[in-house]
Amino acid sequence: MGISWLIFLPVAAAVVLLFVPRSWSRVLWGAALLATLIVLALAIVLYVRFDADDAGLQFVEHALWIPQFGVAYHVGLDGLSLLLVMLTALLGPVVVLASWGTIKKHEKEFVLSLLVLQGAMMGVFTAWDLFLFYVFWEAVLIPMYFLIGVWGSSRRIYATIKFFIFTMAGSLLMLVAIISLYLQCGSFDFDHIFSSLPEAALPLRNQLWLFAAFFLAFAIKVPLFPLHTWLPDAHTEAPMAGSVILAGVLLKMGTYGIARLALPLFPHAAQVLFPLIAALSIVGIIYGAMVAMVQTDIKRLVAYSSVSHLGFVVLGLIALNAQGLEGGFLQMVNHGLSTGALFMVVGFLYQRTHSRLIADHGGLASTMPVFSVIFGIVMLSSIGLPGLNGFVGEFLILLGAFRHNPWWGALAATGMVLSACYMLWVYKRVVWGVPRGKAVEVSDLTAREIVSFLPIVVFIVWIGVFPGTFLSKIRASSHAYLSRIEMALQDSESNEAAVTASAAPHWEPKKEE
């Protein structure tokens, strides 16, 4: 069983469930849970079989799709995509289990949207053909659009349209860049494009335009400051499952795209723009944390914390050293676990009190002790407590940033301090504050809710205590990735020097007659 099962099994399950009556609620949810658990089991098998010493693409599947244009169904896994595939597989059953019984309208359509969304996200992280990558990238937008627009809160239509406009604008920019690359290289295959672009020796001006198109598309999805304004609204209005998937996986499509395509395709252009990208990342880290500090809505606070934490990831990627790159990819997973769990915390709390305002909650330690313990673990993970997953990723990112530019690391480190301020403050108010409102009489987590948290908590501790288990899987691929970029930079510099030399006036002494 290969990668195609990860992509098409949840989609096939959604097609089968189309013929199940709406009244069979337990069958719908049970089938969705079974399908996502099978996908998780298959992903674990691939993870175990993955050769950590092989930097190349593994479990490759290749078949021509549109021969006249050279479009192929080409999928595979390397170390950089492996962890994100595992994250997507893990959050699938977690979201289904956490949402079971909480959806009051159009349950069948909700379940189908979750399944199709998981298959499309798997496609994004495994595609090795640019056309196929774009198809999966756009396919993700459709079920997410409905999750927010149909099952969201009171301002869901506004949030959905804003989300759609921002992401479609980025997608159109990427499409233009993809067409330009195809005309330049004659292929959509990643390997062919990577190998042919240095030979094509694109002028720096063209590289800058193409890099900008790709980078803006991915920066909107991250979202990087100042393109982040759609995210708080989307998170606030989305149902709990939508927020968990959005924070856990969808935002990582942006950072993955930056690392997979924008940087290795146009490293010379990226190098020119590194100071600007670093500045935006650091501003996003500090700005997101400071705005989170003044929020009165818990969900918006967590949403702005995402802007801050993902600024760390982008900073680690553009450091272009082993520590920054490995820390960036590990932090994608860490953020997906901790922030996804925080949105589950907010969702379960809202189901009980019907309020997301911090002022409406307090004293939950006495009425919801299990909830308070889990909330505490997730909160400490988010602020990077040593021994938990968040510390490892952020430490590696800061180490990589310091090695590239000490000022980057010093300024970014302030974000960790600020995140501790707002997360500890909200935890103190909600868990240890004075009991008020409906929070006085709420019930603790059910067995289903505890089970949905359990795998996330296990990985939060596992990554924090034994990070080598996961870093070892990406080390060979990260070293090969950095070597390729370094060679591309050397080639572009030598080409530039050759062009300069040929354009310079050439003088030879006149021979005497």
Side-chain angles (χ1 to χ4, degrees), residues 294-467:
V294 299
Q295 296 303 309
T296 57
D297 184 313
I298 308 177
K299 205 172 187 184
R300 289 187 76 86
L301 182 147
V302 178
Y304 276 107
S305 77
S306 285
V307 176
S308 180
H309 288 301
L310 288 169
F312 272 105
V313 174
V314 175
L315 188 66
L317 296 178
I318 66 168
L320 283 188
N321 51 47
Q323 293 81 9
L325 184 67
E326 293 174 12
F329 270 88
L330 187 63
Q331 191 61 14
M332 291 186 210
V333 177
N334 294 338
H335 177 268
L337 294 172
S338 59
T339 306
L342 282 172
F343 279 116
M344 289 170 60
V345 164
V346 177
F348 290 146
L349 193 58
Y350 181 78
Q351 290 168 14
R352 289 162 167 77
T353 65
H354 304 290
S355 173
R356 294 192 300 261
L357 295 178
I358 298 172
D360 290 343
H361 300 89
L364 294 181
S366 58
T367 56
M368 300 179 71
V370 176
F371 170 89
S372 301
V373 170
I374 293 175
F375 185 10
I377 294 171
V378 174
M379 178 270 299
L380 293 173
S381 163
S382 181
I383 66 177
L385 180 75
L388 299 180
N389 61 337
F391 173 78
V392 182
E394 290 186 348
F395 175 79
L396 286 174
I397 288 171
L398 289 176
L399 183 59
F402 269 108
R403 290 191 63 184
H404 190 96
N405 187 320
W407 282 107
W408 291 8
L411 291 171
T414 60
M416 296 184 69
V417 178
L418 293 173
S419 69
C421 291
Y422 63 77
M423 288 305 302
L424 289 170
W425 174 79
V426 73
Y427 187 78
K428 175 187 174 184
R429 292 285 301 276
V430 171
V431 174
W432 301 111
V434 179
R436 56 173 63 84
K438 293 184 179 180
V440 177
E441 52 192 26
V442 292
S443 58
D444 208 347
L445 295 177
T446 64
R448 173 184 60 82
E449 293 168 339
I450 293 172
V451 171
S452 64
F453 271 121
L454 195 57
I456 296 180
V457 172
V458 167
F459 277 98
I460 283 175
V461 178
W462 188 356
I463 296 173
V465 178
F466 301 108

Side-chain angles (χ1 to χ4, degrees), residues 18 45 48 89 98 118 168 252 254 300 310-311 398 410 438 455 473:
L18 279 173
V45 170
V48 172
Q118 186 183 38
M168 277 304 298
K252 311 309 176 302
R300 289 187 76 86
L310 288 169
L398 289 176
K438 293 184 179 180
K473 293 288 187 179

Side-chain angles (χ1 to χ4, degrees), residues 91-265:
L91 290 183
V94 167
V95 166
V96 172
L97 191 61
S99 303
W100 194 327
T102 65
I103 304 302
K104 304 304 180 185
K105 62 177 182 179
H106 308 302
E107 279 185 281
K108 180 176 178 178
E109 289 79 5
F110 185 87
V111 169
L112 299 183
S113 297
L114 291 181
L115 291 171
V116 173
L117 183 57
Q118 186 183 38
M121 291 186 300
M122 286 291 191
V124 170
F125 296 131
T126 57
W128 210 252
D129 178 278
L130 206 48
F131 186 88
L132 184 67
F133 176 85
Y134 186 78
V135 169
F136 283 128
W137 180 276
E138 290 298 280
V140 167
L141 179 61
I142 300 169
M144 196 66 213
Y145 175 89
F146 287 113
L147 281 174
I148 301 174
V150 176
W151 294 279
S153 302
S154 57
R155 298 178 72 243
R156 60 186 181 275
I157 302 302
Y158 166 77
T160 305
I161 293 175
K162 193 172 182 180
F163 163 73
F164 185 82
I165 290 173
F166 268 81
T167 52
M168 277 304 298
S171 297
L172 291 174
L173 284 172
M174 181 163 61
L175 180 60
V176 171
I178 289 173
I179 294 171
S180 177
L181 273 181
Y182 174 74
L183 295 175
Q184 186 72 38
C185 303
S187 175
F188 290 105
D189 186 79
F190 282 10
D191 288 327
H192 182 85
I193 294 172
F194 289 144
S195 61
S196 61
L197 269 184
E199 296 173 5
L202 290 176
L204 179 58
R205 181 180 178 183
N206 293 5
Q207 290 187 44
L208 286 169
W209 281 111
L210 289 171
F211 174 81
F214 273 112
F215 184 81
L216 282 172
F218 300 137
I220 289 171
K221 187 73 81 175
V222 171
L224 189 66
F225 177 90
L227 305 170
H228 67 284
T229 56
W230 64 270
L231 182 66
D233 293 314
H235 268 315
T236 303
E237 303 305 320
M240 177 181 63
S243 292
V244 173
I245 295 174
L246 185 60
V249 184
L250 253 70
L251 303 186
K252 311 309 176 302
M253 288 167 49
T255 49
Y256 175 79
I258 291 172
R260 175 64 74 199
L261 292 173
L263 294 179
L265 284 175

